[in-house]
Amino acid sequence: MSLLRKIRETGRVAEDAPPRPSPGDFPALAGSAQIRCVDAGSCNGCEIEIAAAFGPVYDAERYGAHLVPSPRHADVVLVTGPVTRNMKVPLRRTVAAMAEPNVVVAVGDCALNCGEFSGGYGVEGAVADVVDVDLAVPGCPPRPEQIVAALRTVTGR
């Protein structure tokens, strides 16, 4: 009985959601987005932050962002890391397999400008050098709040 009393006295402890992003950037995907993640050659730091963004603390799914296992089901692809020579063709095929309209999001400094891997012998280039990028999330690695904010821009929620 004391536990129920404590719950009733404590009340709501969750933070309110931040304000909605400005509409109009991606009107075709308004409401929800199916997301596929592609590691094009990163150090795995961005993947850890993406996992945190979909975890219970940041909970990107409450804003309509859902992870899917296949590019054929995806509206959005999150690409991390510089594109290596071995991932150039698979990344292009992944984006080509997605239905239109689709959104490509480059996550992390390595995806934007190759970061620490710039000039490496196996690095083909940044994500924008291989496929068209619609949205960029800077940082090494970017914070989960930044990833959630980018996904909210896409979903409009």
Side-chain angles (χ1 to χ4, degrees), residues 1-10:
M1 212 47 174
S2 65
L3 178 61
L4 292 175
R5 187 176 317 119
K6 184 171 184 168
I7 291 171
R8 190 173 42 234
E9 291 171 359
T10 303

Side-chain angles (χ1 to χ4, degrees), residues 5-154:
R5 187 176 317 119
K6 184 171 184 168
I7 291 171
R8 190 173 42 234
E9 291 171 359
T10 303
R12 183 176 180 197
V13 295
E15 295 178 3
D16 292 329
R20 285 181 178 252
S22 61
D25 293 336
F26 304 98
L29 301 179
S32 70
Q34 311 304 313
I35 298 166
R36 172 78 172 132
C37 296
V38 175
D39 180 355
S42 74
C43 67
N44 211 32
C46 294
E47 283 78 14
I48 293 171
E49 299 302 315
I50 290 171
F54 282 91
V57 174
Y58 298 99
D59 194 18
E61 289 201 8
R62 70 179 157 162
Y63 300 116
H66 305 284
L67 293 173
V68 294
S70 171
R72 298 203 184 274
H73 301 148
D75 304 314
V76 179
V77 62
L78 297 179
V79 185
T80 61
V83 180
T84 60
R85 291 182 187 158
N86 292 340
M87 282 301 294
K88 180 179 177 181
V89 173
L91 179 59
R92 285 186 177 156
R93 287 183 182 166
T94 298
V95 173
M98 296 170 61
E100 292 291 332
N102 59 30
V103 177
V104 177
V105 181
V107 179
D109 288 343
C110 295
L112 298 175
N113 58 20
C114 298
E116 295 293 321
F117 302 103
S118 182
Y121 72 93
V123 174
E124 189 68 34
V127 176
D129 297 337
V130 178
V131 294
D132 294 331
V133 173
D134 300 305
L135 192 60
V137 183
C140 184
R143 298 181 50 85
E145 305 94 55
Q146 294 173 295
I147 297 168
V148 171
L151 294 175
R152 289 189 70 206
T153 302
V154 173

